[in-house]
């Protein structure tokens, strides 16, 4: 089944404890992206990647890191999480960038930082 | 800066009726892409419809259609014959292409309730 998977789905952590949210797609998509969703703010793009080793900042990259060492994986790293990073996170992928190709979204990761 | 505005936080419609969700955006780009996404209570993001800015013809997908007014920077979504399964949060989104990929901007969403 074609899908985008995220792990974990739910995470409660403490301020300053490094964490990684994994994202993997099995559709051989070139483009991948991370978003955060907060009430009243909609979705905001954190980072995106056009292909292996090609990443760029979205609208809200502060406090996050990403890497794209393999085409299928695009992990989101929070080196020192803070409470303002409590949010619902979505990973998405699409076949190619540059066109109106459909983005396939993962199921979301609910992160709480205390 | 690119912005997307959805001025209707909440809307409701009777089953089988028609409803229009509004969206405006601001950009200096000439080539871009517009989308409407649906997010039901399951939180899954589902693409409803998409429009490329260079295409003048409005996109349609079954009961869903858009009214794309490029000069006015307006991109409204019309849902015909509303069904209970249309109850969801709807997000308007705008994408521009950079050398490193697509940058996306989403509106704050419109919560739509279909009333039986």
């Amino acid at each position: 089944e074609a899908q985008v998977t995220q792990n974990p789905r739910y995470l409660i952590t403490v301020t300053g404890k490094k964490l990684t949210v994994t994202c993997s797609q099995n559709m051989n998509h070139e483009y991948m992206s991370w978003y955060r969703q907060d009430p009243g703010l909609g979705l905001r793009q954190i980072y995106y990647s056009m292909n292996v080793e090609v990443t760029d900042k979205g609208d809200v990259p502060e406090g996050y890191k990403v890497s794209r060492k393999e085409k299928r994986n695009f992990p989101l790293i929070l080196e020192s999480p803070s409470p303002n990073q409590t949010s619902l996170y979505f990973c998405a992928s699409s076949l190619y960038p540059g066109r109106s190709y459909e983005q396939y979204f993962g199921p979301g990761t609910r992160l709480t930082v205390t | 800066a690119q912005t997307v505005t959805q001025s209707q936080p909440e809307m409701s419609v009777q089953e089988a009726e028609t409803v229009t969700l509004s969206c405006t955006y601001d950009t200096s780009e000439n080539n871009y892409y517009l989308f409407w996404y649906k997010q039901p209570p399951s939180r899954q993001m589902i693409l409803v419809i998409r429009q490329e800015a260079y295409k003048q013809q409005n996109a349609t997908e079954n009961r869903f259609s858009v009214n794309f007014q490029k000069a006015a920077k307006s991109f409204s979504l019309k849902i015909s014959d509303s069904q209970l399964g249309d109850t969801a949060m709807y997000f308007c989104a705008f994408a521009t292409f950079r050398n490193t990929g697509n940058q996306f901007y989403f509106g704050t969403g419109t919560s739509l309730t279909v009333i039986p």
Side-chain angles (χ1 to χ4, degrees):
Chain A
E1 178 190 355
Q3 60 184 348
V4 178
T5 56
Q6 294 178 229
N7 283 292
R9 294 287 310 279
Y10 300 90
L11 179 61
I12 301 173
T13 189
V14 296
T15 298
K17 186 177 181 181
K18 180 179 179 180
L19 67 91
T20 299
V21 183
T22 64
C23 173
S24 183
Q25 49 91 7
N26 62 1
M27 296 169 279
N28 202 36
H29 284 175
E30 290 194 359
Y31 178 83
M32 298 185 75
S33 184
W34 274 103
Y35 300 89
R36 61 178 288 175
Q37 182 178 7
D38 302 290
L41 296 178
L43 280 78
R44 293 179 291 168
Q45 193 173 32
I46 303 171
Y47 270 95
Y48 55 94
S49 169
M50 193 165 73
N51 212 325
V52 174
E53 303 292 2
V54 181
T55 64
D56 204 353
K57 297 175 182 178
D59 226 17
V60 288
E62 295 78 18
Y64 305 95
K65 286 175 57 178
V66 292
S67 68
R68 189 93 180 271
K69 291 183 169 48
E70 303 169 283
K71 197 172 186 179
R72 63 182 291 126
N73 296 323
F74 190 44
L76 180 69
I77 303 158
L78 284 72
E79 293 270 3
S80 182
S82 62
N84 64 14
Q85 293 179 298
T86 291
S87 187
L88 177 61
Y89 290 86
F90 285 101
C91 179
S93 73
S94 66
L95 185 57
Y96 299 115
R99 295 287 300 276
S100 61
Y101 290 103
E102 178 175 358
Q103 277 196 105
Y104 292 83
F105 282 80
T109 294
R110 173 73 70 185
L111 172 65
T112 303
V113 183
T114 61
Chain B
Q2 334 279 2
T3 58
V4 179
T5 301
Q6 293 180 250
S7 58
Q8 304 152 314
E10 295 182 357
M11 294 188 75
S12 62
V13 62
Q14 292 290 137
E15 195 175 3
E17 296 295 308
T18 295
V19 64
T20 299
L21 281 58
S22 66
C23 173
T24 59
Y25 57 93
D26 189 23
T27 182
S28 56
E29 306 276 345
N30 195 44
N31 292 321
Y32 50 87
Y33 317 97
L34 295 159
F35 307 82
W36 278 97
Y37 281 90
K38 169 184 176 181
Q39 187 180 44
S42 67
R43 302 186 316 195
Q44 182 67 39
M45 294 290 290
I46 302 164
L47 177 67
V48 174
I49 198 165
R50 56 189 142 180
Q51 174 87 39
E52 291 168 323
Y54 66 84
K55 291 186 178 179
Q56 291 186 335
Q57 187 172 6
N58 289 326
T60 62
E61 287 285 345
N62 300 314
R63 297 181 296 107
F64 300 89
S65 62
V66 298
N67 182 5
F68 174 45
Q69 303 287 331
K70 190 172 183 179
K73 296 179 182 174
S74 171
F75 185 61
S76 61
L77 173 70
K78 185 170 84 171
I79 306 174
S80 304
D81 185 25
S82 297
Q83 301 176 359
L84 297 178
D86 295 334
T87 292
M89 182 73 84
Y90 287 81
F91 291 100
C92 178
F94 164 97
T96 59
F97 179 65
R98 301 279 180 260
N99 289 336
T100 51
N102 283 4
Q103 191 156 6
F104 278 83
Y105 302 88
F106 283 77
T108 53
T110 296
S111 178
L112 177 67
T113 300
V114 179
I115 302 166

